[in-house]
Structures are given as structure tokens and as C-alpha cells.
Amino acid sequence: MTRPAYFSSPAMAGNGPSAATAEDNNPKMRVIRVGTRKSQLAHIQTDSVVASLKTLYPGLQFEIIAMSTTGDKILDIALSKIGEKSLFTKELEHALEKNEVDLVVHSLKDLPTVLPPGFTIGAICKREIPYDAVVFHPKFVGKTLETLPERSVVGTSSLRRAAQLHRKFPHLEFKSIRGNLNTRLRKLDEQQEFSAIILAAAGLQRMGWQSRVGQILRPEECMYAVGQGALGVEVRAKDQDILDLVGALHDPETLLRCIAERAFLRHLEGGCSVPVAVHTAMKDGQLYLTGGVWSLDGSDSMQETMQAAVDVPAQSDGAEDNPQLVGITARHIPRGAQLAAENLGISLANLLLSKGAKDILDVARQLNEAQ
């Protein structure tokens, strides 16, 4: 893989005359500025990406710059009602545009499938557990959603979760809960409003709070959000040096799964204002994609599964000069595999649309706006 001249490669790092020459020629190595949100989870996620980059490029220095986003500031309105597509990314992208940061680390599920002009996702890191998890109020520890008392209130900020779980567990009530992980857990523990809350299992795992997980929701109970469990690194699309730097972080299997998922969501024209969910798996050279849409109360739903032959490639040294796919640039992953994943997502979306998914989503969108 080609590396920018001022980046020391792993082979050069730390020993031998090549490393000494690189340091001598660059007495003031460029500091790579990394943007992130201010939450504890965002810092942990960003630290993990920076640690991976330091392993690859031990001669580089990194500075983490944290900032608040619109989604962090507006906490009294459900996410689906704010009407802003870039709730957790807009301010970070503004800093990227003004050259105040060189790259930004996001939860991939927060990144829209269509990015603003001039930006691209330069890396998708290896996905952690993509499922949702249930955290119970202390008095209900040991319960499951199925065994919670009638009319117990479950907190979630996601229409996707509420629609699926309302269909699966009609004896429960679902109510919006906002804030970062720390805030939501505090609301659960200190108030008597919620019997349980639903959170992304990956976030709890990264925070080291696995002990709070009372139940993992499998796909047959609640399919997950597009990109959930993966981290995306957003950069300026024309900053080839930074693209080359972060491109080494691409995890090929995660990349292909997320291309399929994002293509599915993009072709449906879905987002956080409608309940859309996915499940992907790679097995024996086949990529399996299950996608579904739901009405707000879960009473109406549609889901299908399709598969395509998509070999998981290793990163190659030869870079292909190709445009983005669903906002992602991966020049060292064979183009054919990426296109196969994208086509799978589009084909599944077309199948659902042909069976009436648009009507379900249109009604869900209208009802959400009217509430």
C-alpha cells in the first residue's frame, strides 16, 4: 500500500537507517488532528482508532479534538423528530471542511448514506457485536423483555427498535429516552420511569459495562441499524495523504457488509425517521443480507433475505482509482467485491419496494411527523 512521504511505514518504524533518515528529514513531524464528540464513549472509540494508527505509523503524533454536535445539545426531543440528517456529524464535518481536523471518528450508524460534497468515509474498522442489548432497572435484574410485568415502560431513542419490539412484546410500552450512555443509564437507575432501556451492545462493551447487559436481542427479535457496531473514519475526499493513512484500517468483511447495508437503506430512502433494520452475514463466499421495514407500531412489516457471491478479499498493494460507493472510499479493496455488495443492497431494496415497502415507510414517516 502506498504511503505518503511524510508517514513512516510499519517497516521503517523505530529501527534501522531508514527510520533515522525519516526522522532527520522531518524534525517536526506533522500532527494528525482527530475530531470526535465529547462523550466518554466517543473518546474511547477515537482512542481505539488512534491506537491502531499509532501501531501502523509509530512515528506520527496525534491530537484529539472533541466537540459537541447538534444531537448532543438537543436532548428534549426524540431523534426522529429533530429533522436533521447529520445530528451527530454536522459540527465535526464543519471542522473537517475548515481544515481544523484531518479526520473524524464516528459510530458508522450515525453517518448518513449520502455525505456532504467533499467528504468520504476513508475507513471502516472491524465490527464489534452489532446487536442491541437490554439493560434492566435494578429491581428487574434477572428478567427478560418477555417476563417484564404488563405495561412496563422500556426506553429507546430508536423508532427501529420500538417498532420491532412492540410487535414482538405487545404487553410493553416504549418511550423515548435521550442522552449519552452515562445519562441514559443514570435515568434508568435513579428514576422509576423505565423498567429497562435498549442500547447498542457494542457501546456497552466498549465502555466495559458488559455486566449491565441483561439480555442480547438476536436478529429474530430485533434486527439492528445499518452500520451498527462498526466505526467509520471520515476524511476530506481529496486529501489523498490522509486517505492512504486511514485506508489501512479497512476491515474487508465489515466493509462489504456495511456497503450492502448502506446501499439497502439509501435505495429505500430510509433514515432515523422510519423503522428500517438489517442483518448481514458472510459464509462460504456468500454475503447474506436481510432487510426489513415496519410501521411505527410494528403492526405492519415486511422483510426479505437475499444473497450474493462476494469473496472477502485481503487488502491489496495495488490501489484502484475508483469513486465512492455509498459514501465509502476503499481503494485497496477489489472493486468487484464492493460492487457486488452494493448491488445486493439495491436488489433487496427493490424487492421490498416491489412488494409495497414504500407505502409502509411513507405512512410511518407521515405519522412520525404528525405526532
Short mmCIF file of all heavy atoms in Angstrom, two decimals, residues 179-236:
data_model
loop_
_atom_site.label_atom_id
_atom_site.label_comp_id
_atom_site.label_asym_id
_atom_site.label_seq_id
_atom_site.Cartn_x
_atom_site.Cartn_y
_atom_site.Cartn_z
N GLY A 179 -29.88 11.18 25.50
CA GLY A 179 -28.65 11.39 26.26
C GLY A 179 -27.60 10.37 25.89
O GLY A 179 -27.89 9.37 25.23
N ASN A 180 -26.35 10.62 26.32
CA ASN A 180 -25.31 9.64 26.07
C ASN A 180 -25.51 8.42 26.96
O ASN A 180 -26.45 8.37 27.77
CB ASN A 180 -23.91 10.26 26.26
CG ASN A 180 -23.71 10.82 27.66
OD1 ASN A 180 -24.14 10.23 28.64
ND2 ASN A 180 -23.04 11.95 27.76
N LEU A 181 -24.66 7.42 26.82
CA LEU A 181 -24.85 6.17 27.57
C LEU A 181 -24.89 6.43 29.07
O LEU A 181 -25.74 5.89 29.79
CB LEU A 181 -23.73 5.18 27.25
CG LEU A 181 -23.81 4.43 25.92
CD1 LEU A 181 -22.71 3.40 25.84
CD2 LEU A 181 -25.16 3.77 25.74
N ASN A 182 -23.97 7.26 29.56
CA ASN A 182 -23.93 7.54 31.00
C ASN A 182 -25.25 8.15 31.47
O ASN A 182 -25.81 7.76 32.51
CB ASN A 182 -22.79 8.52 31.31
CG ASN A 182 -21.47 8.08 30.73
OD1 ASN A 182 -21.33 7.99 29.52
ND2 ASN A 182 -20.49 7.83 31.58
N THR A 183 -25.76 9.12 30.69
CA THR A 183 -27.00 9.80 31.05
C THR A 183 -28.19 8.84 31.06
O THR A 183 -29.01 8.85 31.98
CB THR A 183 -27.28 10.95 30.08
OG1 THR A 183 -26.19 11.88 30.13
CG2 THR A 183 -28.57 11.68 30.43
N ARG A 184 -28.28 8.01 30.04
CA ARG A 184 -29.42 7.09 29.96
C ARG A 184 -29.39 6.05 31.07
O ARG A 184 -30.43 5.71 31.64
CB ARG A 184 -29.45 6.43 28.57
CG ARG A 184 -30.08 7.34 27.51
CD ARG A 184 -30.10 6.69 26.15
NE ARG A 184 -28.84 6.85 25.45
CZ ARG A 184 -28.57 6.32 24.26
NH1 ARG A 184 -29.48 5.56 23.66
NH2 ARG A 184 -27.41 6.52 23.68
N LEU A 185 -28.21 5.56 31.38
CA LEU A 185 -28.12 4.59 32.48
C LEU A 185 -28.48 5.24 33.82
O LEU A 185 -29.12 4.62 34.68
CB LEU A 185 -26.72 3.99 32.55
CG LEU A 185 -26.43 2.91 31.49
CD1 LEU A 185 -24.96 2.52 31.52
CD2 LEU A 185 -27.30 1.69 31.70
N ARG A 186 -28.07 6.50 33.99
CA ARG A 186 -28.42 7.20 35.22
C ARG A 186 -29.94 7.40 35.32
O ARG A 186 -30.53 7.23 36.39
CB ARG A 186 -27.69 8.55 35.27
CG ARG A 186 -27.87 9.29 36.61
CD ARG A 186 -26.90 10.44 36.75
NE ARG A 186 -27.07 11.44 35.69
CZ ARG A 186 -26.21 11.65 34.71
NH1 ARG A 186 -25.10 10.92 34.61
NH2 ARG A 186 -26.43 12.58 33.80
N LYS A 187 -30.57 7.76 34.22
CA LYS A 187 -32.04 7.91 34.22
C LYS A 187 -32.72 6.60 34.56
O LYS A 187 -33.72 6.57 35.29
CB LYS A 187 -32.51 8.38 32.83
CG LYS A 187 -32.19 9.84 32.51
CD LYS A 187 -32.70 10.21 31.13
CE LYS A 187 -32.38 11.66 30.79
NZ LYS A 187 -32.85 12.02 29.42
N LEU A 188 -32.19 5.50 34.04
CA LEU A 188 -32.76 4.18 34.33
C LEU A 188 -32.64 3.85 35.81
O LEU A 188 -33.61 3.43 36.45
CB LEU A 188 -32.05 3.11 33.50
CG LEU A 188 -32.40 1.65 33.84
CD1 LEU A 188 -33.83 1.34 33.45
CD2 LEU A 188 -31.43 0.69 33.13
N ASP A 189 -31.45 4.05 36.37
CA ASP A 189 -31.18 3.62 37.74
C ASP A 189 -31.81 4.52 38.80
O ASP A 189 -32.27 4.04 39.83
CB ASP A 189 -29.67 3.55 37.98
CG ASP A 189 -29.00 2.43 37.18
OD1 ASP A 189 -29.72 1.50 36.76
OD2 ASP A 189 -27.77 2.50 36.98
N GLU A 190 -31.82 5.84 38.53
CA GLU A 190 -32.22 6.78 39.57
C GLU A 190 -33.68 7.19 39.50
O GLU A 190 -34.23 7.69 40.48
CB GLU A 190 -31.33 8.04 39.48
CG GLU A 190 -29.85 7.74 39.77
CD GLU A 190 -28.97 8.97 39.65
OE1 GLU A 190 -29.53 10.06 39.38
OE2 GLU A 190 -27.75 8.84 39.83
N GLN A 191 -34.30 6.99 38.36
CA GLN A 191 -35.72 7.32 38.23
C GLN A 191 -36.52 6.03 38.18
O GLN A 191 -36.00 4.95 37.92
CB GLN A 191 -35.96 8.16 36.97
CG GLN A 191 -35.16 9.46 36.95
CD GLN A 191 -35.30 10.21 35.63
OE1 GLN A 191 -36.12 9.89 34.80
NE2 GLN A 191 -34.45 11.22 35.44
N GLN A 192 -37.80 6.14 38.44
CA GLN A 192 -38.67 4.96 38.42
C GLN A 192 -39.49 4.88 37.14
O GLN A 192 -40.44 4.11 37.04
CB GLN A 192 -39.61 4.99 39.64
CG GLN A 192 -38.88 5.00 40.98
CD GLN A 192 -37.98 3.79 41.16
OE1 GLN A 192 -38.38 2.65 40.91
NE2 GLN A 192 -36.75 4.04 41.59
N GLU A 193 -39.10 5.66 36.12
CA GLU A 193 -39.89 5.77 34.90
C GLU A 193 -39.75 4.55 33.99
O GLU A 193 -40.69 4.09 33.36
CB GLU A 193 -39.49 7.02 34.12
CG GLU A 193 -40.33 7.28 32.89
CD GLU A 193 -39.98 8.60 32.23
OE1 GLU A 193 -39.01 9.26 32.67
OE2 GLU A 193 -40.67 8.97 31.27
N PHE A 194 -38.52 4.00 33.93
CA PHE A 194 -38.24 2.92 32.99
C PHE A 194 -37.94 1.61 33.72
O PHE A 194 -37.20 1.58 34.69
CB PHE A 194 -37.04 3.28 32.11
CG PHE A 194 -37.25 4.52 31.28
CD1 PHE A 194 -36.69 5.74 31.67
CD2 PHE A 194 -38.00 4.48 30.11
CE1 PHE A 194 -36.87 6.88 30.91
CE2 PHE A 194 -38.19 5.62 29.34
CZ PHE A 194 -37.63 6.82 29.75
N SER A 195 -38.51 0.53 33.18
CA SER A 195 -38.18 -0.80 33.69
C SER A 195 -36.93 -1.34 33.03
O SER A 195 -36.23 -2.19 33.60
CB SER A 195 -39.35 -1.76 33.42
OG SER A 195 -40.52 -1.31 34.07
N ALA A 196 -36.65 -0.85 31.82
CA ALA A 196 -35.47 -1.28 31.07
C ALA A 196 -35.21 -0.27 29.97
O ALA A 196 -36.08 0.53 29.61
CB ALA A 196 -35.68 -2.68 30.48
N ILE A 197 -34.00 -0.28 29.42
CA ILE A 197 -33.69 0.53 28.25
C ILE A 197 -32.94 -0.34 27.25
O ILE A 197 -32.31 -1.33 27.62
CB ILE A 197 -32.84 1.79 28.60
CG1 ILE A 197 -31.54 1.41 29.29
CG2 ILE A 197 -33.65 2.75 29.46
CD1 ILE A 197 -30.62 2.60 29.56
N ILE A 198 -33.05 0.04 25.98
CA ILE A 198 -32.38 -0.70 24.91
C ILE A 198 -31.20 0.13 24.41
O ILE A 198 -31.36 1.32 24.08
CB ILE A 198 -33.32 -0.99 23.73
CG1 ILE A 198 -34.68 -1.50 24.22
CG2 ILE A 198 -32.67 -1.99 22.76
CD1 ILE A 198 -34.63 -2.83 24.91
N LEU A 199 -30.03 -0.48 24.36
CA LEU A 199 -28.81 0.20 23.91
C LEU A 199 -28.05 -0.70 22.95
O LEU A 199 -28.26 -1.92 22.92
CB LEU A 199 -27.91 0.52 25.11
CG LEU A 199 -28.51 1.41 26.22
CD1 LEU A 199 -27.62 1.38 27.45
CD2 LEU A 199 -28.69 2.84 25.72
N ALA A 200 -27.16 -0.12 22.17
CA ALA A 200 -26.29 -0.92 21.31
C ALA A 200 -25.30 -1.70 22.17
O ALA A 200 -24.62 -1.12 23.02
CB ALA A 200 -25.55 -0.02 20.32
N ALA A 201 -25.24 -3.00 21.94
CA ALA A 201 -24.34 -3.83 22.74
C ALA A 201 -22.88 -3.42 22.57
O ALA A 201 -22.09 -3.49 23.52
CB ALA A 201 -24.52 -5.30 22.36
N ALA A 202 -22.51 -2.96 21.37
CA ALA A 202 -21.12 -2.58 21.12
C ALA A 202 -20.69 -1.42 22.02
O ALA A 202 -19.57 -1.40 22.53
CB ALA A 202 -20.93 -2.21 19.66
N GLY A 203 -21.58 -0.44 22.20
CA GLY A 203 -21.26 0.70 23.05
C GLY A 203 -21.03 0.27 24.50
O GLY A 203 -20.08 0.73 25.15
N LEU A 204 -21.88 -0.60 25.01
CA LEU A 204 -21.72 -1.09 26.38
C LEU A 204 -20.42 -1.87 26.51
O LEU A 204 -19.71 -1.77 27.52
CB LEU A 204 -22.92 -1.97 26.75
CG LEU A 204 -24.24 -1.23 26.92
CD1 LEU A 204 -25.41 -2.21 26.92
CD2 LEU A 204 -24.25 -0.41 28.21
N GLN A 205 -20.09 -2.64 25.49
CA GLN A 205 -18.86 -3.43 25.52
C GLN A 205 -17.64 -2.52 25.52
O GLN A 205 -16.69 -2.73 26.30
CB GLN A 205 -18.84 -4.35 24.30
CG GLN A 205 -17.64 -5.28 24.24
CD GLN A 205 -17.79 -6.31 23.14
OE1 GLN A 205 -18.82 -6.96 23.00
NE2 GLN A 205 -16.76 -6.46 22.32
N ARG A 206 -17.66 -1.48 24.69
CA ARG A 206 -16.51 -0.57 24.64
C ARG A 206 -16.35 0.19 25.94
O ARG A 206 -15.23 0.55 26.32
CB ARG A 206 -16.68 0.40 23.46
CG ARG A 206 -16.53 -0.26 22.10
CD ARG A 206 -16.86 0.68 20.97
NE ARG A 206 -16.79 0.01 19.67
CZ ARG A 206 -17.67 0.17 18.69
NH1 ARG A 206 -18.70 0.97 18.85
NH2 ARG A 206 -17.53 -0.49 17.56
N MET A 207 -17.44 0.46 26.64
CA MET A 207 -17.37 1.17 27.92
C MET A 207 -16.97 0.24 29.07
O MET A 207 -16.73 0.70 30.18
CB MET A 207 -18.74 1.79 28.23
CG MET A 207 -19.18 2.89 27.27
SD MET A 207 -18.34 4.45 27.53
CE MET A 207 -19.26 5.09 28.94
N GLY A 208 -16.94 -1.07 28.79
CA GLY A 208 -16.61 -2.02 29.85
C GLY A 208 -17.77 -2.32 30.77
O GLY A 208 -17.57 -2.73 31.92
N TRP A 209 -18.99 -2.12 30.27
CA TRP A 209 -20.19 -2.30 31.09
C TRP A 209 -20.96 -3.55 30.72
O TRP A 209 -22.19 -3.60 30.82
CB TRP A 209 -21.10 -1.08 30.96
CG TRP A 209 -20.51 0.18 31.54
CD1 TRP A 209 -19.48 0.29 32.41
CD2 TRP A 209 -20.93 1.52 31.28
NE1 TRP A 209 -19.23 1.59 32.72
CE2 TRP A 209 -20.11 2.38 32.04
CE3 TRP A 209 -21.94 2.09 30.48
CZ2 TRP A 209 -20.25 3.76 32.03
CZ3 TRP A 209 -22.07 3.46 30.46
CH2 TRP A 209 -21.25 4.29 31.23
N GLN A 210 -20.26 -4.60 30.30
CA GLN A 210 -20.95 -5.83 29.92
C GLN A 210 -21.79 -6.40 31.04
O GLN A 210 -22.81 -7.06 30.79
CB GLN A 210 -19.92 -6.89 29.47
CG GLN A 210 -19.15 -6.53 28.22
CD GLN A 210 -17.81 -5.87 28.52
OE1 GLN A 210 -17.71 -5.07 29.46
NE2 GLN A 210 -16.79 -6.18 27.74
N SER A 211 -21.39 -6.13 32.29
CA SER A 211 -22.14 -6.68 33.43
C SER A 211 -23.55 -6.12 33.53
O SER A 211 -24.42 -6.71 34.19
CB SER A 211 -21.38 -6.41 34.74
OG SER A 211 -21.29 -5.00 34.97
N ARG A 212 -23.81 -4.98 32.88
CA ARG A 212 -25.16 -4.40 32.92
C ARG A 212 -26.10 -5.03 31.90
O ARG A 212 -27.31 -4.81 31.95
CB ARG A 212 -25.09 -2.89 32.65
CG ARG A 212 -24.45 -2.04 33.74
CD ARG A 212 -25.14 -2.17 35.09
NE ARG A 212 -26.57 -1.99 35.07
CZ ARG A 212 -27.20 -0.83 35.31
NH1 ARG A 212 -26.49 0.25 35.58
NH2 ARG A 212 -28.52 -0.76 35.32
N VAL A 213 -25.56 -5.80 30.98
CA VAL A 213 -26.38 -6.39 29.93
C VAL A 213 -27.21 -7.54 30.50
O VAL A 213 -26.68 -8.54 30.98
CB VAL A 213 -25.52 -6.90 28.76
CG1 VAL A 213 -26.39 -7.61 27.72
CG2 VAL A 213 -24.77 -5.74 28.12
N GLY A 214 -28.53 -7.37 30.45
CA GLY A 214 -29.42 -8.42 30.95
C GLY A 214 -29.95 -9.33 29.87
O GLY A 214 -30.38 -10.45 30.14
N GLN A 215 -29.87 -8.87 28.61
CA GLN A 215 -30.40 -9.65 27.50
C GLN A 215 -29.82 -9.11 26.20
O GLN A 215 -29.77 -7.91 25.99
CB GLN A 215 -31.94 -9.56 27.49
CG GLN A 215 -32.63 -10.37 26.41
CD GLN A 215 -34.16 -10.23 26.49
OE1 GLN A 215 -34.70 -9.52 27.35
NE2 GLN A 215 -34.85 -10.91 25.60
N ILE A 216 -29.37 -10.00 25.34
CA ILE A 216 -28.94 -9.64 23.99
C ILE A 216 -30.08 -9.99 23.04
O ILE A 216 -30.62 -11.10 23.07
CB ILE A 216 -27.66 -10.39 23.57
CG1 ILE A 216 -26.47 -9.93 24.42
CG2 ILE A 216 -27.37 -10.18 22.09
CD1 ILE A 216 -25.98 -8.52 24.11
N LEU A 217 -30.46 -9.04 22.20
CA LEU A 217 -31.56 -9.25 21.27
C LEU A 217 -31.01 -9.80 19.95
O LEU A 217 -30.28 -9.12 19.24
CB LEU A 217 -32.31 -7.94 21.04
CG LEU A 217 -32.97 -7.35 22.29
CD1 LEU A 217 -33.56 -5.98 21.99
CD2 LEU A 217 -34.05 -8.29 22.83
N ARG A 218 -31.36 -11.02 19.64
CA ARG A 218 -30.93 -11.64 18.41
C ARG A 218 -31.73 -11.08 17.23
O ARG A 218 -32.79 -10.48 17.43
CB ARG A 218 -31.09 -13.16 18.50
CG ARG A 218 -30.44 -13.79 19.72
CD ARG A 218 -28.95 -13.53 19.79
NE ARG A 218 -28.24 -14.16 18.66
CZ ARG A 218 -26.93 -14.11 18.49
NH1 ARG A 218 -26.18 -13.45 19.39
NH2 ARG A 218 -26.35 -14.68 17.46
N PRO A 219 -31.25 -11.28 16.00
CA PRO A 219 -31.94 -10.70 14.84
C PRO A 219 -33.40 -11.11 14.71
O PRO A 219 -34.23 -10.33 14.21
CB PRO A 219 -31.11 -11.22 13.66
CG PRO A 219 -29.75 -11.44 14.22
CD PRO A 219 -29.96 -11.91 15.63
N GLU A 220 -33.75 -12.31 15.15
CA GLU A 220 -35.16 -12.73 15.05
C GLU A 220 -36.05 -11.94 16.02
O GLU A 220 -37.27 -11.91 15.86
CB GLU A 220 -35.30 -14.23 15.31
CG GLU A 220 -34.74 -14.72 16.62
CD GLU A 220 -33.27 -15.13 16.54
OE1 GLU A 220 -32.59 -14.71 15.57
OE2 GLU A 220 -32.83 -15.88 17.43
N GLU A 221 -35.44 -11.29 17.00
CA GLU A 221 -36.19 -10.45 17.93
C GLU A 221 -36.12 -8.98 17.54
O GLU A 221 -37.12 -8.25 17.62
CB GLU A 221 -35.63 -10.61 19.36
CG GLU A 221 -35.79 -12.00 19.92
CD GLU A 221 -35.06 -12.15 21.25
OE1 GLU A 221 -33.84 -11.90 21.29
OE2 GLU A 221 -35.71 -12.52 22.24
N CYS A 222 -34.93 -8.54 17.12
CA CYS A 222 -34.74 -7.13 16.77
C CYS A 222 -33.51 -6.99 15.88
O CYS A 222 -32.39 -7.11 16.36
CB CYS A 222 -34.58 -6.29 18.04
SG CYS A 222 -34.54 -4.50 17.75
N MET A 223 -33.75 -6.80 14.58
CA MET A 223 -32.62 -6.57 13.69
C MET A 223 -32.00 -5.20 13.98
O MET A 223 -32.65 -4.31 14.52
CB MET A 223 -33.07 -6.67 12.23
CG MET A 223 -33.43 -8.10 11.83
SD MET A 223 -33.46 -8.35 10.04
CE MET A 223 -34.84 -7.32 9.57
N TYR A 224 -30.75 -5.04 13.61
CA TYR A 224 -30.01 -3.87 14.03
C TYR A 224 -29.98 -2.77 12.97
O TYR A 224 -30.45 -2.94 11.84
CB TYR A 224 -28.59 -4.25 14.44
CG TYR A 224 -27.87 -5.23 13.53
CD1 TYR A 224 -27.24 -4.80 12.38
CD2 TYR A 224 -27.81 -6.58 13.87
CE1 TYR A 224 -26.56 -5.70 11.56
CE2 TYR A 224 -27.14 -7.49 13.06
CZ TYR A 224 -26.52 -7.05 11.91
OH TYR A 224 -25.85 -7.95 11.11
N ALA A 225 -29.42 -1.63 13.36
CA ALA A 225 -29.33 -0.48 12.46
C ALA A 225 -28.21 -0.69 11.45
O ALA A 225 -27.23 -1.39 11.71
CB ALA A 225 -29.07 0.80 13.27
N VAL A 226 -28.36 -0.05 10.31
CA VAL A 226 -27.32 -0.09 9.28
C VAL A 226 -26.01 0.44 9.86
O VAL A 226 -25.95 1.53 10.43
CB VAL A 226 -27.76 0.77 8.08
CG1 VAL A 226 -26.59 1.06 7.15
CG2 VAL A 226 -28.89 0.09 7.33
N GLY A 227 -24.95 -0.37 9.75
CA GLY A 227 -23.63 0.04 10.24
C GLY A 227 -23.41 -0.13 11.72
O GLY A 227 -22.31 0.17 12.22
N GLN A 228 -24.40 -0.61 12.46
CA GLN A 228 -24.27 -0.69 13.92
C GLN A 228 -23.10 -1.59 14.32
O GLN A 228 -22.90 -2.66 13.76
CB GLN A 228 -25.57 -1.20 14.54
CG GLN A 228 -25.57 -1.21 16.06
CD GLN A 228 -26.98 -1.27 16.64
OE1 GLN A 228 -27.87 -0.55 16.21
NE2 GLN A 228 -27.18 -2.13 17.63
N GLY A 229 -22.34 -1.15 15.32
CA GLY A 229 -21.20 -1.92 15.82
C GLY A 229 -19.89 -1.62 15.14
O GLY A 229 -18.84 -2.07 15.59
N ALA A 230 -19.93 -0.84 14.04
CA ALA A 230 -18.70 -0.51 13.31
C ALA A 230 -18.36 0.96 13.49
O ALA A 230 -19.24 1.79 13.71
CB ALA A 230 -18.86 -0.83 11.82
N LEU A 231 -17.09 1.28 13.40
CA LEU A 231 -16.62 2.66 13.44
C LEU A 231 -16.23 3.10 12.04
O LEU A 231 -15.61 2.34 11.28
CB LEU A 231 -15.42 2.81 14.38
CG LEU A 231 -15.64 2.42 15.84
CD1 LEU A 231 -14.35 2.62 16.64
CD2 LEU A 231 -16.77 3.23 16.45
N GLY A 232 -16.59 4.33 11.68
CA GLY A 232 -16.22 4.89 10.39
C GLY A 232 -15.31 6.09 10.58
O GLY A 232 -15.49 6.87 11.52
N VAL A 233 -14.32 6.22 9.72
CA VAL A 233 -13.38 7.35 9.77
C VAL A 233 -13.65 8.23 8.56
O VAL A 233 -13.43 7.82 7.42
CB VAL A 233 -11.92 6.87 9.78
CG1 VAL A 233 -10.98 8.07 9.89
CG2 VAL A 233 -11.68 5.88 10.92
N GLU A 234 -14.14 9.45 8.82
CA GLU A 234 -14.50 10.37 7.75
C GLU A 234 -13.34 11.34 7.50
O GLU A 234 -12.72 11.84 8.43
CB GLU A 234 -15.75 11.16 8.13
CG GLU A 234 -16.33 11.98 7.00
CD GLU A 234 -17.62 12.70 7.38
OE1 GLU A 234 -17.90 12.82 8.59
OE2 GLU A 234 -18.33 13.15 6.47
N VAL A 235 -13.07 11.58 6.22
CA VAL A 235 -11.97 12.45 5.83
C VAL A 235 -12.40 13.33 4.66
O VAL A 235 -13.48 13.14 4.09
CB VAL A 235 -10.72 11.62 5.42
CG1 VAL A 235 -10.28 10.71 6.54
CG2 VAL A 235 -10.99 10.81 4.16
N ARG A 236 -11.54 14.28 4.30
CA ARG A 236 -11.78 15.05 3.09
C ARG A 236 -11.50 14.17 1.87
O ARG A 236 -10.45 13.51 1.79
CB ARG A 236 -10.90 16.30 3.07
CG ARG A 236 -11.29 17.35 4.10
CD ARG A 236 -10.36 18.55 4.06
NE ARG A 236 -9.02 18.21 4.54
CZ ARG A 236 -8.66 18.24 5.83
NH1 ARG A 236 -9.53 18.61 6.76
NH2 ARG A 236 -7.43 17.91 6.19
#
